[in-house]
């Protein structure tokens, strides 16, 4: 399946989407969030889904705090990557932020080249690094801190 940008539908996820999200996550992430983490996100954060013809293609989790927002998670179905869906989702997320939000920040594994390329292509800039922040198969991996100014 492939999806043209004009066929994508973005919508806020609801509690009823939990099972679909959990199944999607288990098949799409190298380090999947647990169903409990996803349920917690649905309760406490904002979850944006991208769909095509009723099928989930990806989703993003973010939270807003006063004039800042944080992207906590973004995943696209493995078989649909590199078709612009992640970029569309990120742009839709950005458009969904409250007007008061002045910057969007995130953490990403230093070795996650696809995600870093996506973020930098959308204007995020590096603002820091946390050494050994993530567990990795062969030890630990740094986190890069990125920020997008929205002003
Ligand atoms: C990161 C992720 C969400 C990107 O989604 P995607 O739909 O494949 O990304 P897009 O097709 O919108 O790519 C947009 C741009 O990002 C960059 N990019 C994306 N994937 C890339 C790759 N594998 N290699 C190099 N650049 C890549 C490119 O600049 C691309 O633009 P281009 O195709 O016009 O050159 C996806 O790879 C994913 O779900 N990864 C697993 C979960 C993950 O790591 N999430 C991030 C956690 S911080």
């Amino acid at each position: 399946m492939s999806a043209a940008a004009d066929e994508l539908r973005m919508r806020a996820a609801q509690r009823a989407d939990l099972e679909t999200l959990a199944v999607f996550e288990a098949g799409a992430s190298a380090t999947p969030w647990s169903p409990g983490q996803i349920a917690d996100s649905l309760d406490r954060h904002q979850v944006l889904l991208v769909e095509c013809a009723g099928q989930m293609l990806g989703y993003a989790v973010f939270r807003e705090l006063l004039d800042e927002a944080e992207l906590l998670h973004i995943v696209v179905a493995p078989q649909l990557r590199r078709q612009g869906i992640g970029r569309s989702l990120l742009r839709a997320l950005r458009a969904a932020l409250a007007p008061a939000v002045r910057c969007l920040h995130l953490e990403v594994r230093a070795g996650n080249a696809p995600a870093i390329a996506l973020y930098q292509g959308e204007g995020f800039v590096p603002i820091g690094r946390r050494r050994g922040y993530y567990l990795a198969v062969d030890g630990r991996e740094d986190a890069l801190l990125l920020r997008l100014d929205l002003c």
Side-chain angles (χ1 to χ4, degrees), residues 28-30 71-77 80-88 106-109 112-119 121 134:
S29 286
L71 176 62
L72 299 167
H73 199 45
I74 181 167
V75 191
V76 169
L80 297 175
R81 288 182 189 161
R82 208 69 198 266
Q83 296 182 32
I85 296 169
R87 182 191 290 123
S88 296
L106 60 85
E107 290 167 6
V108 58
R109 286 175 185 265
N112 191 344
I116 293 168
L118 166 65
Y119 300 140
Y134 291 109

Side-chain angles (χ1 to χ4, degrees), residues 8-38:
L8 301 179
R9 173 176 178 247
M10 309 283 170
R11 70 171 175 90
Q14 311 294 325
R15 245 316 185 141
D17 295 307
L18 174 58
E19 190 177 339
T20 307
L21 280 163
V23 170
F24 182 90
E25 174 71 14
S29 286
T31 50
W33 282 20
S34 68
Q37 281 175 293
I38 298 170

